Amino acid sequence: MPLSEHEQRLLDQIEQALYAEDPKWANTVRISNPRSHYKRRLVKASIGFALGVVLLMVGVVAAQIWLGAAGFVVMLATCLWGLSSWKRMSGFGDSPPSRERGRRPQQRQSFMERMEERWRRRHDEH
């Protein structure tokens, strides 16, 4: 459901006020893409996982159990970190929709659909 003309004008005014107040921040927010942030985290997690494999192998070859265990811990931690980033980047990390009385469970909603639903509920309450 698109915004009304009045709501769109208000949104534009708020946006212009933010740009006027802090143009550097506004430019940063406009350019940044959350997906690129999560992609960088995935790359870092992959490098950390490879480092963990190397530590594990060196620990096995050198018969240093503590080094192999450290490598395993590094692998596990970076794997979990990378999976959480991948889930968020793919949209699987969103919380499930809440169940309301009298309603059947819905399929996963997009971010905009959830925001529109909250907006509708807020206006219905007043």
Side-chain angles (χ1 to χ4, degrees):
M1 178 167 131
L3 296 175
S4 70
E5 289 180 33
H6 177 69
E7 293 169 338
Q8 187 63 45
R9 261 184 283 141
L10 285 175
L11 186 62
D12 290 339
Q13 289 174 356
I14 292 169
E15 186 178 357
Q16 288 172 358
L18 284 172
Y19 289 151
E21 186 176 314
D22 193 356
K24 184 178 178 183
W25 177 81
N27 191 32
T28 302
V29 170
R30 189 181 320 153
I31 292 174
S32 67
N33 180 3
R35 290 182 67 97
S36 63
H37 170 70
Y38 292 125
K39 286 180 184 178
R40 279 191 301 260
R41 285 179 64 177
L42 274 174
V43 169
K44 290 176 184 177
S46 300
I47 292 169
F49 187 81
L51 179 64
V53 169
V54 169
L55 283 174
L56 180 67
M57 292 300 162
V58 169
V60 168
V61 170
Q64 299 291 326
I65 295 175
W66 64 271
L67 189 59
F72 178 75
V73 169
V74 168
M75 287 171 51
L76 183 63
T78 56
C79 184
L80 292 174
W81 189 45
L83 284 175
S84 71
S85 297
W86 178 75
K87 279 183 173 181
R88 288 182 181 157
M89 185 178 73
S90 301
F92 294 122
D94 297 337
S95 62
S98 63
R99 295 183 183 193
E100 296 179 16
R101 261 184 266 148
R103 288 187 146 185
R104 300 179 78 205
Q106 298 176 353
Q107 292 181 347
R108 238 178 233 282
Q109 296 177 328
S110 71
F111 174 76
M112 288 304 295
E113 290 170 342
R114 289 192 313 267
M115 291 296 115
E116 289 172 2
E117 180 64 31
R118 287 180 189 169
W119 183 261
R120 273 189 239 112
R121 273 189 265 139
R122 190 170 81 184
H123 281 291
D124 291 342
E125 292 173 0
H126 296 302

